[in-house]
Amino acid sequence: MAYADLLRQTRIPTARAACCGPPNSRTEWVLQKAGLHPPPLITNFYPKALDICKKRVEVASKNDSVLSAYRKMTSRGFRVLPVTDDDGSLIGMLSLLDLLELLIPYAGDPARQVTATTEKICEITEAKAIYLTEHSKIETDFLMMVAGSSEPVMKERIAAFPADRLLLITGDRLGVQLLAVEAGVRCLLITSDFRPSDAIIAAAKNSGTAILVTPMDTASTTQMVRGARPIHHAISTNFVSFSPNTTVNKIKDSVQRTPKQALFPVCEANTQKLIGVISRTDLVNPERPKLVLVDHNEFSQAVAGAEEAEIVEVIDHHRLSGNLVTREPVQFINKTVGSTCTIVGRAFRDHQLIPSNGIATLICAGIISDTLNLSSPTATPEDSEILKWASKIAGIDVNQFTSEFFAVGSALCLEDERKAVLSDRKEFTEKGYKISISQVEEIGFTYFYPAREKLQIALKDLIKENNLDLACLMVTDITKNNSLLLVEGPQRIRERITYPHDDTNLFTLNGVVSRKKQLFPYVSMLLADIPHE
């Protein structure tokens, strides 16, 4: 949290802190003391649909006309549009081919039939509504007829079709206009801006014929009328969509199995509200989320999926190990101090920035926790210097803060042994062995012995779940600077441990408080003489 605050003030304005596990009681106490909220919990960092989808999306409504949808497509160079309802929920997808099927008659579809509303025809042909009936908003299967014959022939043709479905297109032919309104056709569409006479209008009102006047010529009008058809007849509901948290790898697999779909919507799982869309080209070289590793420098200790992110920085005080590889050079800060918070505090000073009271409190808590208030062998003069500087800004008494901090809550009295084992755990790969070392700090060992058997079971479960060779729990008494070590693993390893022991699983580590500087080097040396099976 302190480093994210520094980055925001210096070179990465969008930096934000996150954690990959819930805060323990001591962390919650520190945050409360600092007046800060916990960072968001991120369980994995695999690139997801939400990370790569285009969020500014052109959409169509189910009541849009063919022409309206086509114009939306061509304006943005799309061949597919998502179709949403009034609430923004996805109801289907519309392709250019779907539109063509509405424009071009297919087998069994009468060439003259156009399904639309009178109002939509008026809109598409840019017409003026001289008279509209109460049916103007109702979708009708119009039979389109162009007045291209003599009046006697037109009279016969009009009589041959149901008048309540006829859409008659004509120019300034007054006789045909009169025939249409007398027959009571559903809509009379007059082209080239020819206004009908008052007598025609009056007759239309009596017969219930809507009259529209368009500035377009007859040929253009006939073409445009087909564009008034609503697209809901062509919306496809057979498509593949993704939730925001679908990983990119899963998306790629699904896309490969769906060769005919060009655009893939991303929707909220419960509401189906459209968030964005993903095209096939978006998957060629998707932008990876950016990640700064703080207080660790290997993927085995990082949030799941970190190896697929773009690592932009590493800031740490542990040994260099693991398989961290980056595509580009990154800023890598690693110093031999007792706490990464010391490095962060130094960076504030180097930038001539004064952290807030809350951030200074966090820096103090990190140094106190990591170095057991400078009593750990990992503590350095620089830790002491930065702790003194930060505590002055935070306005805290270091010794009192230390007592209150370690007295807050024992990880071993929470009646959740699994949580105790997972609360502060590091994984290492050494000499071919995959090792886990957990550590909890306690005031005495009062709560350890009653929980010992369940802690042993938790370590066994940890080995199975993570395919480990060795799992250890280091319980440190901060008042006496001693530790107990509970071990689960092969007997050939346990019997080589030279520390005093009560049995083959529990060892007493007098003067050992540092996992990094004391316990891990010992385990590494031990395993060097034991071939991995």
Side-chain angles (χ1 to χ4, degrees), residues 230-372:
I231 63 172
H232 64 77
H233 295 284
I235 298 172
S236 172
T237 56
N238 183 23
F239 58 89
V240 174
S241 64
F242 301 106
S243 70
N245 291 323
T246 307
T247 63
V248 170
N249 284 339
K250 288 185 178 179
I251 293 172
K252 288 180 178 179
D253 291 341
S254 183
V255 167
Q256 287 178 352
R257 297 192 302 268
T258 317
K260 293 183 179 180
Q261 188 172 333
L263 199 66
F264 298 83
V266 178
C267 305
E268 293 180 0
N270 296 328
T271 65
Q272 283 300 296
K273 285 202 172 178
L274 183 69
I275 297 174
V277 294
I278 296 173
S279 66
R280 293 178 183 272
T281 55
D282 293 329
L283 298 170
V284 175
N285 188 22
E287 183 177 353
R288 297 179 297 157
K290 294 178 172 59
L291 184 63
V292 176
L293 301 186
V294 179
D295 203 38
H296 59 293
N297 65 72
E298 53 187 291
F299 288 136
S300 63
Q301 297 177 12
V303 63
E307 64 275 6
E308 295 186 26
E310 180 184 351
I311 308 299
V312 295
E313 281 193 37
V314 179
I315 178 169
D316 192 19
H317 71 125
H318 296 99
R319 68 166 193 154
L320 304 184
S321 61
N323 57 350
L324 177 62
V325 177
T326 63
R327 298 182 185 180
E328 302 291 339
V330 301
Q331 175 159 293
F332 196 107
I333 304 171
N334 188 274
K335 297 185 70 175
T336 53
V337 291
S339 174
T340 297
C341 277
T342 298
I343 307 173
V344 175
R346 175 65 67 187
F348 268 98
R349 296 181 68 175
D350 290 344
H351 283 90
Q352 297 183 338
L353 294 172
I354 299 176
S356 66
N357 178 281
I359 295 297
T361 300
L362 299 188
I363 292 173
C364 290
I367 297 173
I368 290 170
S369 175
D370 275 347
T371 67
L372 303 182

Side-chain angles (χ1 to χ4, degrees), residues 44-61:
N44 71 76
F45 218 69
Y46 294 107
K48 301 177 180 64
L50 185 63
D51 300 319
I52 67 169
C53 70
K54 293 183 176 70
K55 299 175 180 65
R56 296 182 62 185
V57 184
E58 190 74 63
V59 300
S61 166

Side-chain angles (χ1 to χ4, degrees), residues 369-385:
S369 175
D370 275 347
T371 67
L372 303 182
N373 191 17
L374 306 176
S375 66
S376 168
T378 61
T380 67
E382 188 168 5
D383 296 305
S384 178
E385 177 189 349

